[in-house]
Amino acid sequence: MNTTFNINNLVRANIKALKPYSSARDEFKGTADVFLDANENPFGELNRYPDPQQSKIKEKLSTIKSVETNQIFIGNGSDEVIDLAFRIFCEPGKDKVLTFTPTYGMYDVSANINNIEVIKQPLINDFQINLNQLQPYLDFEDVKIIFICSPNNPTGNTINTDDIEYILENFNGIVIVDEAYIDFSSQASFIKNINKYNNLIVSQTFSKAWGLAGVRVGVAYASEAIIALYNRVKPPYNVSTLNQEVVLERLNNQFEVSKNIETILSERTKLKDALNQLDIVKKIYPTDANFLLVEVDNADRIYQYLIDKKVIIRNRNTQVENCIRITVGTNQENKKLIEALKNI
Ligand SMILES: *Cc1c(COP(=O)(O)O)cnc(C)c1O
Protein backbone atom coordinates (compact mmCIF):
# COMPACT_ATOMS: atom_id res chain seq x y z
CA MET A 1 0.00 0.00 0.00
CA ASN A 2 1.18 3.50 -0.86
CA THR A 3 0.25 5.44 2.30
CA THR A 4 1.26 8.93 1.11
CA PHE A 5 -0.88 8.83 -2.03
CA ASN A 6 -3.89 11.15 -1.82
CA ILE A 7 -6.14 11.28 -4.82
CA ASN A 8 -7.64 14.63 -3.79
CA ASN A 9 -4.24 16.29 -4.22
CA LEU A 10 -4.05 14.95 -7.73
CA VAL A 11 -7.38 15.74 -9.38
CA ARG A 12 -7.59 18.99 -11.37
CA ALA A 13 -9.62 21.70 -9.62
CA ASN A 14 -12.11 22.05 -12.50
CA ILE A 15 -12.80 18.31 -12.44
CA LYS A 16 -13.34 18.36 -8.67
CA ALA A 17 -15.83 21.21 -9.14
CA LEU A 18 -17.48 19.63 -12.19
CA LYS A 19 -21.19 18.96 -12.05
CA PRO A 20 -21.47 15.94 -14.37
CA TYR A 21 -24.12 15.76 -17.08
CA SER A 22 -27.06 13.77 -15.81
CA SER A 23 -28.74 11.95 -18.66
CA ALA A 24 -32.36 10.82 -18.74
CA ARG A 25 -31.08 7.25 -18.42
CA ASP A 26 -29.01 8.18 -15.36
CA GLU A 27 -31.94 9.83 -13.59
CA PHE A 28 -34.46 7.04 -14.10
CA LYS A 29 -32.92 3.58 -14.18
CA GLY A 30 -35.90 1.30 -13.49
CA THR A 31 -38.26 -0.49 -15.83
CA ALA A 32 -41.39 1.21 -17.16
CA ASP A 33 -43.90 0.89 -19.98
CA VAL A 34 -43.56 4.29 -21.55
CA PHE A 35 -40.33 6.25 -21.99
CA LEU A 36 -40.96 9.86 -22.97
CA ASP A 37 -37.96 11.30 -21.15
CA ALA A 38 -35.04 11.45 -23.61
CA ASN A 39 -36.49 12.99 -26.79
CA GLU A 40 -35.87 9.71 -28.57
CA ASN A 41 -37.78 8.70 -31.66
CA PRO A 42 -40.45 6.12 -30.75
CA PHE A 43 -39.93 4.26 -34.09
CA GLY A 44 -37.11 1.98 -35.24
CA GLU A 45 -34.60 -0.46 -33.79
CA LEU A 46 -31.68 1.59 -32.53
CA ASN A 47 -33.90 4.49 -31.53
CA ARG A 48 -33.06 4.32 -27.81
CA TYR A 49 -29.90 5.67 -26.17
CA PRO A 50 -27.45 3.01 -24.95
CA ASP A 51 -27.00 2.10 -21.29
CA PRO A 52 -24.62 4.88 -20.14
CA GLN A 53 -23.17 2.62 -17.43
CA GLN A 54 -22.74 -0.48 -19.64
CA SER A 55 -24.08 -2.51 -16.70
CA LYS A 56 -24.30 -5.90 -18.44
CA ILE A 57 -20.70 -5.80 -19.63
CA LYS A 58 -19.51 -4.69 -16.20
CA GLU A 59 -21.41 -7.51 -14.45
CA LYS A 60 -19.85 -10.06 -16.75
CA LEU A 61 -16.33 -8.60 -16.40
CA SER A 62 -16.78 -8.37 -12.65
CA THR A 63 -17.23 -12.16 -12.52
CA ILE A 64 -14.45 -12.94 -14.99
CA LYS A 65 -11.88 -10.62 -13.40
CA SER A 66 -12.97 -10.89 -9.74
CA VAL A 67 -13.44 -7.15 -9.20
CA GLU A 68 -16.43 -5.04 -8.16
CA THR A 69 -18.54 -3.46 -10.93
CA ASN A 70 -17.68 -0.02 -9.51
CA GLN A 71 -14.00 -0.77 -10.15
CA ILE A 72 -14.59 -0.98 -13.91
CA PHE A 73 -14.73 1.77 -16.55
CA ILE A 74 -15.68 0.97 -20.16
CA GLY A 75 -14.27 3.33 -22.76
CA ASN A 76 -14.37 3.99 -26.49
CA GLY A 77 -11.13 2.01 -26.92
CA SER A 78 -8.08 2.27 -24.62
CA ASP A 79 -7.56 5.59 -26.34
CA GLU A 80 -10.41 7.00 -24.23
CA VAL A 81 -9.00 5.44 -21.05
CA ILE A 82 -5.70 7.23 -21.74
CA ASP A 83 -7.21 10.56 -22.80
CA LEU A 84 -9.53 10.79 -19.78
CA ALA A 85 -6.58 10.21 -17.44
CA PHE A 86 -4.95 13.33 -18.89
CA ARG A 87 -8.17 15.30 -18.55
CA ILE A 88 -8.76 14.22 -14.94
CA PHE A 89 -5.24 14.54 -13.53
CA CYS A 90 -3.11 16.82 -15.72
CA GLU A 91 -3.32 20.61 -15.80
CA PRO A 92 -2.60 21.63 -19.45
CA GLY A 93 0.64 23.58 -19.91
CA LYS A 94 1.76 22.79 -16.38
CA ASP A 95 1.81 19.10 -15.45
CA LYS A 96 3.94 16.31 -16.89
CA VAL A 97 3.74 12.57 -17.45
CA LEU A 98 6.50 9.99 -17.80
CA THR A 99 6.87 7.13 -20.29
CA PHE A 100 9.50 4.45 -20.90
CA THR A 101 10.70 4.35 -24.50
CA PRO A 102 10.36 2.80 -26.98
CA THR A 103 6.66 2.40 -26.32
CA TYR A 104 3.10 2.86 -27.63
CA GLY A 105 2.68 6.10 -29.60
CA MET A 106 -0.72 7.13 -28.21
CA TYR A 107 0.66 8.30 -24.83
CA ASP A 108 2.61 11.00 -26.68
CA VAL A 109 -0.24 11.97 -28.98
CA SER A 110 -2.74 12.18 -26.14
CA ALA A 111 -0.24 14.22 -24.08
CA ASN A 112 0.30 16.62 -26.98
CA ILE A 113 -3.44 17.07 -27.53
CA ASN A 114 -3.80 17.90 -23.83
CA ASN A 115 -0.69 20.16 -23.88
CA ILE A 116 1.18 18.00 -21.36
CA GLU A 117 4.96 17.52 -21.44
CA VAL A 118 6.22 13.93 -21.66
CA ILE A 119 9.41 12.93 -19.83
CA LYS A 120 10.92 9.95 -21.65
CA GLN A 121 13.16 7.41 -20.00
CA PRO A 122 14.85 4.80 -22.19
CA LEU A 123 14.29 1.15 -21.30
CA ILE A 124 17.57 -0.73 -20.76
CA ASN A 125 18.90 -4.32 -20.76
CA ASP A 126 16.42 -5.89 -23.17
CA PHE A 127 13.85 -3.21 -22.46
CA GLN A 128 13.45 -3.05 -18.67
CA ILE A 129 12.98 0.05 -16.48
CA ASN A 130 16.10 1.78 -15.14
CA LEU A 131 14.97 2.41 -11.55
CA ASN A 132 18.10 4.40 -10.63
CA GLN A 133 17.49 6.86 -13.42
CA LEU A 134 13.79 7.04 -12.58
CA GLN A 135 14.24 7.62 -8.83
CA PRO A 136 14.45 11.46 -8.77
CA TYR A 137 11.30 11.80 -10.88
CA LEU A 138 9.21 9.84 -8.37
CA ASP A 139 9.29 12.91 -6.10
CA PHE A 140 8.51 15.53 -8.77
CA GLU A 141 5.18 17.09 -7.82
CA ASP A 142 4.25 18.05 -11.38
CA VAL A 143 4.67 14.49 -12.71
CA LYS A 144 1.11 13.21 -12.45
CA ILE A 145 1.07 9.95 -14.42
CA ILE A 146 3.62 7.22 -15.17
CA PHE A 147 2.70 4.96 -18.11
CA ILE A 148 3.97 1.37 -18.02
CA CYS A 149 3.13 -0.74 -21.07
CA SER A 150 3.44 -4.43 -20.19
CA PRO A 151 3.78 -6.44 -22.37
CA ASN A 152 5.36 -3.47 -24.08
CA ASN A 153 4.62 -2.38 -27.63
CA PRO A 154 6.79 -2.55 -29.82
CA THR A 155 9.33 -4.60 -27.84
CA GLY A 156 6.96 -7.42 -26.77
CA ASN A 157 8.47 -8.08 -23.34
CA THR A 158 6.76 -7.92 -19.96
CA ILE A 159 8.13 -5.33 -17.51
CA ASN A 160 9.51 -6.82 -14.26
CA THR A 161 6.72 -7.12 -11.69
CA ASP A 162 8.99 -5.98 -8.82
CA ASP A 163 9.85 -2.77 -10.66
CA ILE A 164 6.18 -1.95 -11.30
CA GLU A 165 5.37 -2.58 -7.62
CA TYR A 166 8.30 -0.39 -6.55
CA ILE A 167 6.92 2.47 -8.64
CA LEU A 168 3.39 1.95 -7.28
CA GLU A 169 4.75 2.07 -3.72
CA ASN A 170 7.01 5.10 -4.17
CA PHE A 171 5.24 7.38 -6.63
CA ASN A 172 2.43 9.62 -5.37
CA GLY A 173 0.83 10.04 -8.77
CA ILE A 174 -1.17 7.69 -10.98
CA VAL A 175 0.47 4.60 -12.49
CA ILE A 176 -1.25 3.33 -15.63
CA VAL A 177 -0.29 -0.24 -16.49
CA ASP A 178 -1.32 -0.79 -20.11
CA GLU A 179 -2.09 -4.48 -20.52
CA ALA A 180 -3.37 -4.47 -24.12
CA TYR A 181 -1.49 -7.74 -24.74
CA ILE A 182 -1.90 -9.42 -21.35
CA ASP A 183 -4.04 -12.30 -22.67
CA PHE A 184 -1.10 -13.47 -24.79
CA SER A 185 1.30 -13.28 -21.85
CA SER A 186 2.56 -15.93 -19.46
CA GLN A 187 2.62 -13.23 -16.75
CA ALA A 188 -0.29 -12.45 -14.43
CA SER A 189 -2.36 -9.28 -14.82
CA PHE A 190 -1.98 -6.41 -12.33
CA ILE A 191 -5.77 -6.32 -11.88
CA LYS A 192 -5.39 -8.36 -8.69
CA ASN A 193 -3.55 -5.34 -7.19
CA ILE A 194 -6.22 -2.65 -7.59
CA ASN A 195 -7.32 -3.06 -3.96
CA LYS A 196 -3.72 -2.94 -2.75
CA TYR A 197 -2.59 0.13 -4.74
CA ASN A 198 -5.01 3.05 -4.83
CA ASN A 199 -2.88 4.83 -7.46
CA LEU A 200 -3.07 1.96 -9.98
CA ILE A 201 -5.07 1.97 -13.22
CA VAL A 202 -4.92 -1.23 -15.28
CA SER A 203 -5.89 -0.66 -18.89
CA GLN A 204 -7.08 -3.54 -21.08
CA THR A 205 -8.82 -3.73 -24.45
CA PHE A 206 -11.09 -5.86 -26.63
CA SER A 207 -8.94 -4.93 -29.65
CA LYS A 208 -6.27 -7.62 -29.52
CA ALA A 209 -6.80 -11.07 -27.93
CA TRP A 210 -10.59 -10.59 -27.96
CA GLY A 211 -10.48 -9.85 -31.67
CA LEU A 212 -12.71 -6.76 -31.66
CA ALA A 213 -10.46 -3.89 -32.81
CA GLY A 214 -13.26 -2.66 -35.08
CA VAL A 215 -15.60 -2.28 -32.14
CA ARG A 216 -13.53 0.23 -30.11
CA VAL A 217 -14.00 -0.90 -26.54
CA GLY A 218 -11.32 -0.52 -23.85
CA VAL A 219 -11.52 -1.13 -20.12
CA ALA A 220 -9.92 0.48 -17.06
CA TYR A 221 -9.74 -1.35 -13.72
CA ALA A 222 -8.96 0.79 -10.66
CA SER A 223 -10.12 1.82 -7.20
CA GLU A 224 -13.75 2.90 -6.83
CA ALA A 225 -12.53 6.50 -6.33
CA ILE A 226 -10.64 6.60 -9.63
CA ILE A 227 -13.48 4.94 -11.55
CA ALA A 228 -15.94 7.47 -10.10
CA LEU A 229 -13.75 10.24 -11.57
CA TYR A 230 -13.76 8.54 -14.97
CA ASN A 231 -17.55 8.34 -14.85
CA ARG A 232 -17.81 12.07 -14.04
CA VAL A 233 -15.75 13.06 -17.04
CA LYS A 234 -16.74 10.59 -19.75
CA PRO A 235 -19.28 11.53 -22.46
CA PRO A 236 -22.64 10.16 -21.19
CA TYR A 237 -23.22 7.63 -24.01
CA ASN A 238 -19.61 6.79 -24.84
CA VAL A 239 -20.19 3.15 -25.89
CA SER A 240 -22.88 2.51 -28.51
CA THR A 241 -25.63 -0.11 -28.16
CA LEU A 242 -24.18 -2.11 -31.09
CA ASN A 243 -20.72 -2.12 -29.51
CA GLN A 244 -22.08 -3.18 -26.13
CA GLU A 245 -23.98 -6.06 -27.73
CA VAL A 246 -20.98 -7.36 -29.67
CA VAL A 247 -18.74 -7.21 -26.59
CA LEU A 248 -21.34 -9.05 -24.49
CA GLU A 249 -21.67 -11.74 -27.12
CA ARG A 250 -17.89 -12.20 -27.17
CA LEU A 251 -17.75 -12.35 -23.36
CA ASN A 252 -20.28 -15.18 -23.55
CA ASN A 253 -18.03 -16.99 -26.04
CA GLN A 254 -14.81 -17.13 -24.10
CA PHE A 255 -14.03 -20.62 -25.34
CA GLU A 256 -13.74 -19.33 -28.91
CA VAL A 257 -11.44 -16.52 -27.73
CA SER A 258 -9.18 -18.93 -25.82
CA LYS A 259 -8.96 -21.20 -28.85
CA ASN A 260 -7.88 -18.31 -31.06
CA ILE A 261 -5.26 -17.22 -28.52
CA GLU A 262 -3.85 -20.75 -28.47
CA THR A 263 -3.67 -20.81 -32.25
CA ILE A 264 -1.94 -17.41 -32.36
CA LEU A 265 0.61 -18.53 -29.75
CA SER A 266 1.43 -21.73 -31.63
CA GLU A 267 1.70 -19.76 -34.89
CA ARG A 268 4.01 -17.35 -33.10
CA THR A 269 6.42 -20.20 -32.34
CA LYS A 270 6.32 -21.42 -35.95
CA LEU A 271 6.85 -17.92 -37.29
CA LYS A 272 9.80 -17.36 -34.96
CA ASP A 273 11.42 -20.63 -36.01
CA ALA A 274 10.97 -19.83 -39.70
CA LEU A 275 12.36 -16.32 -39.29
CA ASN A 276 15.38 -17.67 -37.46
CA GLN A 277 16.30 -19.66 -40.59
CA LEU A 278 16.70 -16.47 -42.64
CA ASP A 279 20.06 -14.73 -43.15
CA ILE A 280 18.48 -11.27 -43.04
CA VAL A 281 17.32 -11.90 -39.44
CA LYS A 282 19.88 -10.83 -36.81
CA LYS A 283 17.86 -11.18 -33.62
CA ILE A 284 14.32 -11.95 -32.48
CA TYR A 285 13.47 -10.42 -29.13
CA PRO A 286 11.56 -12.48 -26.54
CA THR A 287 7.84 -11.73 -26.69
CA ASP A 288 4.80 -12.02 -24.43
CA ALA A 289 2.50 -10.57 -27.09
CA ASN A 290 1.00 -11.41 -30.50
CA PHE A 291 3.91 -9.85 -32.38
CA LEU A 292 7.65 -10.21 -32.77
CA LEU A 293 10.27 -7.46 -32.70
CA VAL A 294 12.88 -8.56 -35.20
CA GLU A 295 16.28 -7.03 -35.86
CA VAL A 296 17.21 -7.34 -39.52
CA ASP A 297 20.16 -6.26 -41.65
CA ASN A 298 18.24 -3.31 -43.15
CA ALA A 299 14.76 -2.53 -41.81
CA ASP A 300 13.93 0.23 -44.33
CA ARG A 301 14.83 -1.96 -47.31
CA ILE A 302 12.90 -4.99 -46.04
CA TYR A 303 9.86 -2.87 -45.19
CA GLN A 304 9.79 -1.42 -48.73
CA TYR A 305 10.42 -4.81 -50.33
CA LEU A 306 7.49 -6.37 -48.44
CA ILE A 307 5.17 -3.52 -49.45
CA ASP A 308 5.99 -4.33 -53.09
CA LYS A 309 5.01 -7.95 -52.29
CA LYS A 310 1.76 -6.64 -50.77
CA VAL A 311 2.73 -7.73 -47.25
CA ILE A 312 2.62 -4.95 -44.67
CA ILE A 313 4.64 -5.08 -41.48
CA ARG A 314 5.61 -2.21 -39.15
CA ASN A 315 8.97 -0.55 -39.62
CA ARG A 316 10.23 0.37 -36.13
CA ASN A 317 13.67 1.52 -37.32
CA THR A 318 13.21 4.98 -35.80
CA GLN A 319 12.42 3.45 -32.38
CA VAL A 320 14.80 0.47 -32.29
CA GLU A 321 17.57 0.50 -34.89
CA ASN A 322 16.95 -1.85 -37.84
CA CYS A 323 13.96 -3.46 -36.17
CA ILE A 324 10.65 -4.45 -37.71
CA ARG A 325 7.52 -5.47 -35.83
CA ILE A 326 5.60 -8.41 -37.23
CA THR A 327 2.08 -9.25 -36.05
CA VAL A 328 1.34 -12.98 -35.89
CA GLY A 329 -1.30 -13.71 -38.54
CA THR A 330 -2.99 -16.87 -39.76
CA ASN A 331 -0.83 -19.80 -40.84
CA GLN A 332 -1.39 -18.79 -44.47
CA GLU A 333 -0.49 -15.15 -43.89
CA ASN A 334 2.67 -16.03 -41.99
CA LYS A 335 3.72 -18.43 -44.75
CA LYS A 336 3.22 -15.73 -47.35
CA LEU A 337 5.48 -13.42 -45.35
CA ILE A 338 8.17 -16.08 -44.98
CA GLU A 339 8.02 -16.98 -48.70
CA ALA A 340 8.45 -13.32 -49.62
CA LEU A 341 11.41 -12.94 -47.25
CA LYS A 342 13.08 -16.08 -48.60
CA ASN A 343 13.11 -14.56 -52.07
CA ILE A 344 14.51 -11.19 -51.06
C1 LIG B 1 -3.22 -1.91 -29.54
C2 LIG B 1 -2.93 -1.23 -28.25
C3 LIG B 1 -3.96 -0.70 -27.47
C4 LIG B 1 -5.38 -0.80 -27.93
O1 LIG B 1 -5.96 0.42 -28.07
P1 LIG B 1 -7.53 0.46 -28.37
O2 LIG B 1 -7.81 1.92 -28.39
O3 LIG B 1 -8.22 -0.23 -27.23
O4 LIG B 1 -7.76 -0.23 -29.67
C5 LIG B 1 -3.64 -0.12 -26.27
N1 LIG B 1 -2.38 -0.07 -25.82
C6 LIG B 1 -1.37 -0.59 -26.54
C7 LIG B 1 0.00 -0.56 -25.99
C8 LIG B 1 -1.61 -1.17 -27.78
O5 LIG B 1 -0.58 -1.66 -28.49
Side-chain angles (χ1 to χ4, degrees):
M1 185 58 85
N2 181 331
T3 47
T4 42
F5 173 80
N6 182 344
I7 195 160
N8 288 319
N9 298 340
L10 215 61
V11 180
R12 289 169 61 197
N14 64 312
I15 301 299
K16 264 192 238 178
L18 179 75
K19 189 174 174 295
Y21 179 76
S22 181
S23 71
R25 288 293 169 274
D26 283 320
E27 280 179 15
F28 179 81
K29 289 190 179 117
T31 49
D33 294 333
V34 180
F35 282 99
L36 301 174
D37 58 345
N39 293 348
E40 295 153 330
N41 192 308
F43 306 111
E45 272 181 27
L46 285 164
N47 56 328
R48 300 292 174 184
Y49 279 106
D51 172 8
Q53 299 303 331
Q54 306 95 20
S55 310
K56 286 184 181 155
I57 296 176
K58 285 180 186 171
E59 274 160 32
K60 192 83 199 173
L61 283 176
S62 150
T63 313
I64 296 172
K65 306 283 183 181
S66 305
V67 299
E68 302 295 327
T69 51
N70 61 17
Q71 296 175 314
I72 305 172
F73 166 78
I74 311 289
N76 183 20
S78 311
D79 295 345
E80 188 171 35
V81 171
I82 294 165
D83 181 65
L84 290 185
F86 280 102
R87 296 211 231 167
I88 294 166
F89 299 110
C90 299
E91 200 60 59
K94 178 172 165 283
D95 289 332
K96 301 181 174 72
V97 299
L98 190 145
T99 64
F100 301 100
T101 56
T103 194
Y104 185 45
M106 269 314 284
Y107 312 138
D108 251 5
V109 174
S110 205
N112 289 340
I113 290 168
N114 288 286
N115 193 18
I116 299 297
E117 186 185 322
V118 182
I119 300 164
K120 293 179 185 177
Q121 295 239 310
L123 295 164
I124 56 163
N125 301 336
D126 278 356
F127 308 121
Q128 290 297 329
I129 291 170
N130 182 343
L131 280 183
N132 286 333
Q133 204 178 60
L134 173 69
Q135 189 62 48
Y137 292 98
L138 296 179
D139 297 323
F140 279 28
E141 289 226 327
D142 53 358
V143 177
K144 293 295 174 73
I145 304 174
I146 294 180
F147 287 93
I148 302 173
C149 189
S150 182
N152 187 39
N153 177 5
T155 60
N157 62 296
T158 309
I159 303 298
N160 293 333
T161 302
D162 291 350
D163 294 349
I164 300 177
E165 294 218 33
Y166 180 86
I167 295 168
L168 283 162
E169 297 262 3
N170 293 284
F171 176 57
N172 289 329
I174 296 289
V175 179
I176 298 187
V177 179
D178 185 339
E179 294 188 337
Y181 300 96
I182 195 68
D183 296 307
F184 299 109
S185 173
S186 49
Q187 302 290 311
S189 165
F190 258 74
I191 289 180
K192 62 179 187 303
N193 291 317
I194 59 170
N195 290 317
K196 185 172 171 194
Y197 297 113
N198 44 12
N199 54 344
L200 169 64
I201 298 174
V202 178
S203 169
Q204 295 191 357
T205 179
F206 282 92
S207 295
K208 306 288 159 61
W210 291 82
L212 294 176
V215 166
R216 313 303 309 129
V217 174
V219 189
Y221 301 92
S223 71
E224 187 182 346
I226 291 176
I227 296 302
L229 288 162
Y230 265 87
N231 286 332
R232 279 167 83 81
V233 175
K234 83 180 183 76
Y237 303 112
N238 62 328
V239 183
S240 80
T241 302
L242 291 173
N243 291 356
Q244 292 190 43
E245 282 172 3
V246 174
V247 165
L248 253 184
E249 189 186 298
R250 196 55 58 98
L251 283 169
N252 288 324
N253 257 306
Q254 283 184 77
F255 177 69
E256 191 73 25
V257 174
S258 310
K259 248 184 14 193
N260 287 344
I261 292 172
E262 265 178 51
T263 306
I264 291 167
L265 292 182
S266 96
E267 282 301 321
R268 186 177 77 186
T269 308
K270 286 190 229 164
L271 179 61
K272 192 174 158 205
D273 292 345
L275 286 166
N276 263 325
Q277 307 292 315
L278 304 174
D279 286 342
I280 52 159
V281 170
K282 300 294 164 209
K283 176 174 182 171
I284 303 176
Y285 285 92
T287 182
D288 262 321
N290 65 333
F291 58 83
L292 298 167
L293 185 72
V294 183
E295 189 190 333
V296 290
D297 54 8
N298 186 332
D300 294 345
R301 183 176 70 100
I302 287 168
Y303 175 67
Q304 264 313 321
Y305 166 82
L306 286 173
I307 289 177
D308 295 341
K309 298 284 168 199
K310 304 215 178 311
V311 177
I312 312 302
I313 54 154
R314 202 89 202 265
N315 185 358
R316 297 285 80 179
N317 186 30
T318 54
Q319 284 186 299
V320 192
E321 201 182 347
N322 272 328
C323 280
I324 54 176
R325 193 193 67 194
I326 303 173
T327 308
V328 180
T330 62
N331 185 265
Q332 229 183 356
E333 290 170 329
N334 303 335
K335 274 190 177 147
K336 209 169 161 192
L337 167 82
I338 294 294
E339 278 316 304
L341 287 175
K342 272 184 185 163
N343 296 322
I344 195 166

